Amino acid sequence: MAIISDDGSEAKRLGKKNPIVKPETIEYDNTFENSIRPKDFDSYIGQSALKESLKITLEAARLRNKALDHMLFYGPPGLGKTTIAGVIAAQMGVDIKITSAPALERPRDIIGILMSLKGGEILFIDEIHRLNKVAEEILYPAMEDFTLDMTTGKSQTAKTIRVPLPKFTLIGATTKAGELSSPLRDRFGIIHRLEFYTVDELSEVVKRTAKILDIKINEEGAKAIAVRSRGTPRIANRLVKRVADFAIVKFNGIIDKQVANESLDILKIDEFGLDNTDRALLSLIIDKYDGGPVGIETIAAALSEDVRTIEDVCEPYLLQAGLLQRTPRGRKVSPEGYRHLGIKTPSEQTRLF
Ligand code: ADE
């Protein structure tokens, strides 16, 4: 299986006006994250309900010699949406073309990528909730009938021609399923929400990554990293790498509980996995807005972060951990959020004894 990742940037870099995806614009992504991605169901840890149902779906498609249904994966960032798409492609023995909605700005971007697909191939579109209306309308017949409806000529002489496409599978990923239009959502045969990982699952992810990085780690060291990983394997993997650096430079090269905890303390990742931005967000709401509710735009402006970062990166885990609450009038810090920062809630402060 080849993972072909293209956002049109290579064509732009070369000064080409038309970054329609062509085979020569293929880029191979060799980031750390890609190098440790599991390639099959056995090495993909967690999301067991999804894995079990996918195994059946894939087997059925193989037995019937059919392309897989289009699939939509949603959930907070870093839970393995791209990774599971890669596993599906590898298990089916087909190529996957990876792109994201913001890279499909013009009709020719989406048309180019659709026309480059071969039978059975997977097209992965990340952040699919950001697809524009025109691109969406091109996708509808492509997903439903495997055709491209193209208009030639102008107004009265305009003609629509139908171009057949090979039977491909679209895998869409989003952190905001609610922002997908219903016609687009309805065209996915399989819709699945990815869940936060348990500490045990994350410990397995940590041990697997440490092995790939060739760094020694014991059970307690793996667990110490796992508990501070916010239920997210992408964060767990990032932390293993950072802690491994500390273990090699400052300690004896082995990650145990003490090495993990001391390293993560230095990195200012607390025992809940919160970093400086998360704590600043909670403190801001407590100190400046009496614990809330306060609007997301106000929070983002005060922290000099953009709204999307707050919504997509900070909030999902703070909400899941019960430290923050979402109300119709804005965000509120929960009593647990106060306790986590060692601050008394307003009602505790007014109580005399
Ligand atoms: N790295 C990132 N996600 C993973 C997963 N689900 N299993 C194993 N390694 C991973």
Side-chain angles (χ1 to χ4, degrees), residues 3 98 232 236 322:
I3 293 187
I98 299 177
T232 308

Side-chain angles (χ1 to χ4, degrees), residues 104-321:
L104 304 172
E105 210 182 307
R106 292 161 305 177
R108 61 186 178 208
D109 299 324
I110 181 91
I111 291 171
I113 205 159
L114 286 170
M115 290 187 64
S116 76
L117 293 172
K118 295 187 198 76
E121 266 184 15
I122 293 175
L123 171 60
F124 179 84
I125 304 183
D126 203 5
E127 297 190 75
I128 197 157
H129 61 278
R130 295 175 68 186
L131 216 54
N132 62 45
K133 196 87 210 100
V134 177
E136 259 194 32
E137 275 167 11
I138 293 170
L139 262 187
Y140 296 157
M143 291 174 77
E144 219 160 66
D145 310 318
F146 301 104
T147 56
L148 257 180
D149 289 341
M150 295 215 276
T151 312
T152 58
K154 289 203 180 112
S155 52
Q156 279 143 349
T157 57
K159 265 201 225 147
T160 303
I161 45 169
R162 304 206 102 187
V163 180
L165 290 171
K167 296 207 166 47
F168 69 99
T169 300
L170 176 67
I171 301 185
T174 178
T175 51
K176 296 194 169 82
E179 286 185 17
L180 239 69
S181 70
S182 11
L184 181 57
R185 201 175 35 237
D186 292 347
R187 283 173 169 84
F188 288 98
I190 295 170
I191 300 184
H192 196 99
R193 178 191 145 101
L194 274 79
E195 304 292 342
F196 280 112
Y197 287 58
T198 64
V199 168
D200 284 347
E201 288 166 347
L202 286 176
S203 294
E204 293 304 313
V205 172
V206 166
K207 284 188 280 178
R208 177 180 178 273
T209 303
K211 196 166 171 205
I212 296 171
L213 291 174
D214 199 20
I215 182 96
K216 290 198 178 67
I217 189 163
N218 68 15
E219 280 299 329
E220 288 184 322
K223 187 167 176 201
I225 297 178
V227 294
R228 298 197 199 197
S229 296
R230 313 165 64 111
T232 308
R234 180 184 293 159
I235 296 178
N237 286 332
R238 216 182 284 148
L239 296 183
V240 183
K241 206 166 170 230
R242 305 290 309 270
V243 173
D245 291 345
F246 278 86
I248 292 161
V249 175
K250 281 181 67 98
F251 300 97
N252 61 356
I254 301 168
I255 303 177
D256 59 16
K257 187 175 174 180
Q258 185 210 346
V259 168
N261 284 338
E262 283 187 25
S263 309
L264 293 169
D265 286 345
I266 296 169
L267 292 169
K268 304 243 178 308
I269 311 282
D270 70 25
E271 63 284 2
F272 249 65
L274 307 198
D275 62 17
N276 281 337
T277 310
D278 302 310
R279 285 188 297 269
L281 188 152
L282 296 175
S283 303
L284 172 87
I285 303 178
I286 293 174
D287 296 342
K288 299 268 186 330
Y289 303 96
D290 290 331
V294 55
I296 186 85
E297 282 84 9
T298 310
I299 297 172
L303 295 174
S304 306
E305 290 282 357
D306 64 51
V307 170
R308 200 169 273 149
T309 307
I310 303 283
E311 276 184 339
D312 292 355
V313 182
C314 302
E315 264 194 1
Y317 184 70
L318 293 175
L319 293 166
Q320 147 95 13

Side-chain angles (χ1 to χ4, degrees), residues 36-38 43-47 78-80 83 197 204-205 208-209 233-234 237:
I36 56 165
R37 275 190 209 285
S43 46
Y44 187 98
I45 296 152
Q47 310 294 346
L79 298 189
T83 306
Y197 287 58
E204 293 304 313
V205 172
R208 177 180 178 273
T209 303
R234 180 184 293 159
N237 286 332

